[in-house]
Amino acid sequence: MATIDFTGNMQDLSTDVGFQFKFYCEQCGSGYMSTFQRNDLGMAGELLRGASTFLGSMFGQAADSAYHVQRAVGGVQHDNAVREAVAEIRPMFNQCKKCGNWMCKEVCWNANARMCKSCAPLAEELETSARAQFAAVSIGNDLNLEEEHRLKAQAELLAGRCPHCGAETGGKKFCGECGKPTAAAARVCGKCGTRANPGVKFCQDCGEKL
């Protein structure tokens, strides 16, 4: 069996009619496909087996023989194909001198440090990642704060009393005792759509008269 010296993550996609291999980066898992190499003996066996369906068992026996011959020498051909695939794909990988893993140059390699990005992260990428995490945390905090305010305002409405007769309103817009508007009957600004507090004459966001 041919030795694969730059990555252990190889997928053999070979069939009877040809050889092809896919190599994966040991860090990000990106796959790189080798060029398909035709197996002439395998192709001949396939043609003979196809002809046997029309021309009788003699060709079928010949096809079986070719198939077994292909199987007998396929190991050598397969190893040669692996070596050619390794020679083709290896330039796309580098070995980290610190961790020893083979990494793809496209994604996981720090060319300046001559190490993988896990062992020698790029400052620019770390900064971008940190900023993104900070933004995500900030947005999450803002949303949590808005939700707290909303729940607090909702609780106040549910526990509110009618400003006219003092009856409990249960958060309804009109009092069940006197029929007058309650604190929940806040108006909406026709210009900006902001919910206005009861009793105010002008929108507190845009100044529009209510």
Side-chain angles (χ1 to χ4, degrees):
M1 179 65 186
T3 300
I4 305 172
D5 64 346
F6 72 93
T7 177
N9 298 334
M10 183 192 78
Q11 182 181 7
D12 191 342
L13 304 175
S14 302
T15 66
D16 290 338
V17 297
F19 308 105
Q20 194 167 30
F21 310 90
K22 193 171 186 179
F23 301 86
Y24 295 91
C25 174
E26 294 179 329
Q27 177 64 34
C28 70
S30 296
Y32 298 83
M33 190 86 73
S34 67
T35 302
F36 179 80
Q37 303 176 52
R38 191 178 67 175
N39 184 337
D40 292 333
L41 286 177
M43 290 292 291
E46 287 293 324
L47 291 174
L48 287 173
R49 283 194 295 278
S52 69
T53 61
F54 298 99
L55 302 177
S57 61
M58 181 179 67
F59 284 93
Q61 292 173 359
D64 290 339
S65 298
Y67 182 75
H68 290 306
V69 169
Q70 188 272 329
R71 283 297 189 187
V73 300
V76 176
Q77 289 188 330
H78 183 272
D79 283 357
N80 290 337
V82 171
R83 280 189 286 270
E84 291 183 20
V86 168
E88 176 188 356
I89 303 298
R90 191 185 187 285
M92 301 178 185
F93 289 79
N94 276 332
Q95 185 179 30
C96 178
K97 62 184 180 181
K98 183 176 180 180
C99 68
N101 292 328
W102 288 89
M103 307 294 186
C104 65
K105 293 180 180 179
E106 184 178 1
V107 177
C108 301
W109 188 250
N110 184 335
N112 293 329
R114 299 184 65 185
M115 290 189 289
C116 69
K117 292 180 181 178
S118 294
C119 297
L122 293 175
E124 296 84 357
E125 293 183 356
L126 287 179
E127 181 180 357
T128 300
S129 177
R131 289 182 181 277
Q133 292 178 11
F134 177 78
V137 172
S138 298
I139 292 173
N141 290 338
D142 290 343
L143 291 176
N144 288 336
L145 186 59
E146 290 179 5
E147 182 65 9
E148 289 179 5
H149 288 324
R150 188 189 70 79
L151 292 175
K152 182 179 179 181
Q154 184 67 20
E156 291 176 352
L157 286 176
L158 292 175
R161 292 182 175 274
C162 175
H164 306 285
C165 68
E168 293 182 356
T169 64
K172 302 299 180 180
K173 295 181 179 181
F174 295 90
C175 177
E177 290 291 332
C178 66
K180 294 182 179 179
T182 65
R187 290 169 293 174
V188 175
C189 175
K191 181 178 180 180
C192 68
T194 300
R195 187 181 177 88
N197 293 325
V200 299
K201 298 180 179 179
F202 295 90
C203 176
Q204 293 172 295
D205 274 359
C206 69
E208 180 75 3
K209 185 176 182 180
L210 300 175

